[in-house]
Amino acid sequence: MKKSILFLCVSALLLSACTKEQLPVANYDIIPQPKEVQLNEEKPFELDFKTLVYYESGLQREAQFLSEYVNDIMGYVLQMQEYQSQPDGIVLKVVPEDFDQAEAYEINITPKQVTIKGADAAGVFYGIQTLRKSLPISQLSTSNSQLTLNSKLSTLNSQLPCGTIKDYPKFAYRGMHLDPCRHFIPLDSVKVYIDMLAMHNMNQFHFHLSDDQGWRIEIKKYPELTEIGAYRNGTVIGHNGNLYDTIRHGGFYTQDELCDLIQYASERHINIIPEIDLPGHMQAALACYPQLGCTGGPYEVWKRWGVSEDVLCAGNEETMLFVEDVLNEVMDVFPSPYIHIGGDECPKVRWEKCPKCQAKIKELGIKKDDKFTAEDYLQSYVMNRMAKVVEARGRRVIGWDEILEGNVSETAIIMSWRGTEGGIEAARKGHDVIMAPSSHLYFDYYQSEDIASEPMCIGGYLPVERVYEFQPLPEELTPEQQKHIIGVQANIWTEYIAHFWHVQYMALPRMEALTEIQWNNPQERDFGAFVERCRHMTQLYELYHYTYADHIFNPQVWADTVEANLATRKPITLRQQPAEKYTYEGASLLNDGNLGRGAYNSGRWLGFCGYPLDAIIDLEQPAEMQHVRFHALVNKGAWIYNPSQVKVLVSDDGETFREVAQKDIPISTWEDRDGIFAYEVDFEPVTAKFVEVVISGYDLPEDHSGFGNPAWIFVDEIEVR
Ligand SMILES: [Zn+2]
């Protein structure tokens, strides 16, 4: 109460000090961009502390949100009351018959009234989000809490230009995922994440609640799942090296806390989809109940990243009943119409050797065929059995696209993560599909090429631009098949994300691009305009103290070219081509004058595995040389090591070569940092027309999880002087 009296006083001061021409003006260029904005020349609606919010019965919570948002931005709470006839102020109402689809809304702004009309309460909520995002935010209000009061003074009143905004979503399913298993995320932070989803008009929150590295949901029938399974006794350091910390890590959500979270999300028109990932990614559960695994253990809550080979025993009836119990209890807690049952990355090595699993294959009469193994079909048996448990309670299952490998239940919704191919195949077979391809929508990947300046993450390169260009409706599908693409989602896995600020940094502003994809049609996209609209959104981020990445506003200028040298842009051939995935424009990348930058898949490196890079450069005329230099990338967790050796050979005719230099390079160890390194070799001056550079790689060393396999080398820009 004190606060509102204070604001009444200061606003009176402001009114006397401020002329109307100076009032800040709302800007409807927000994200996602509304479908239709038609403004007119009428005198703008003036929003101030006296503005009243009138709401129809059933929209009280929406009215509260509006009042809270205005308070966050302007510094005063709007008074609210149930709807009366034709009042002046802001009016919230639901008129389903005025709309063609759910979640649609329309805002009409006149000099005296702002009406937010929705097809349903969710539509009204999105209209409120649009109004909230349109309000002018002072630069000062966001930068320093000491200045907050002053800055809010400057925005006490604002003008809303008159006109009409009409808007509705493209996709009914608009989601984001979060993984609190690899690193636990406290409940309060999850609530902030839900606030972020609400701000971006999303309606599905995919909550990944179980994995090898930690079990996160209280299950009353199996208390050990959280007593033991929620904690691990250390975590691998860096990209899956052989060093571990000894810090106990973990945490879990009680069912009461989850009910509170579900209510919190529901008020924001967000459904929470719980995921119990099975039959793989179950090592934390096995650590509690080792009899549920094929070998009987012992198991520990996993301290490494990656995919554990220890999975649920599909041949053990006790295991199946355990999973059914867990799913039933999860459904007791979560009212979600969708239940995610995982199905990804389930190695079959244990099942191949397990007498129980093999007996089950016999009992079920499962036969391998030319497409899938018997064990693949055994996984289908598990997934379909659990789908029935879910469907018996009127819910639908979602699974990762691996569940297509076998004979998946027709009603399962496929979440296409390994590219869009799984989604395309599934849509053709008549499954509903959610597109979440790692190529465009894995927000745990780097968003800058300058990885040395970024907080460490899993790898990859996924800038905002790439998210923004994603087309969720593949052209390969007919319009009828395209109707099976029910939505789009981005995922955040947290192996390398230990703190919530980092989750936010990875999400923002890529979430802006995601919401444009989810809400709008592809033909309505314009990246330049999008970046400008993002600028306004970052003011909101600062107001709410959200951490965000600012790469799109500060395009980096790379000092990324090399000085012209004998090799630059000369004809170059490779005795053996790079790996197909990492060929890009081919050999010419190696001497185009541009240095390799960013992650291994940035398109700026050629990748080789199991054989050397062997390049022949035609200098076009005899030249004297004594120095060869190149760069290589080291990312040991991704199986990329430094080269083992470089050899330089020369030739006058391009046929017969003689060696002029050879240099061995010691292998990078886990104590050495990853990154981009230059390698040089000097030799006695020699004159020749052709130069051959042979760069060999190591095999992965004993202390690497991939021991025995060849390491990758990623090389760019060979210089000859
Ligand atoms: Zn088994």
Side-chain angles (χ1 to χ4, degrees), residues 160-175:
L160 307 184
C162 288
T164 303
I165 299 169
K166 291 182 180 172
D167 203 11
Y168 53 90
K170 166 90 178 156
F171 288 102
Y173 181 111
R174 304 180 303 280

Side-chain angles (χ1 to χ4, degrees), residues 293-295 312-316 350-351 354-358:
C294 290
T295 65
L312 293 176
C313 177
N316 182 350
R350 296 285 183 267
W351 292 2
C354 170
K356 284 182 190 163
C357 286
Q358 291 306 313

Side-chain angles (χ1 to χ4, degrees), residues 511-532:
M511 220 170 175
E512 303 297 345
L514 174 64
T515 182
E516 284 290 354
I517 295 166
Q518 294 170 329
W519 191 269
N520 285 325
N521 291 311
Q523 59 270 29
E524 288 157 6
R525 293 186 209 153
D526 169 349
F527 190 70
F530 166 80
V531 171
E532 285 313 307

Side-chain angles (χ1 to χ4, degrees), residues 90-101:
I90 302 177
V91 180
L92 309 181
K93 59 182 178 182
V94 171
V95 189
E97 58 272 25
D98 285 0
F99 297 93
D100 297 333
Q101 69 170 85

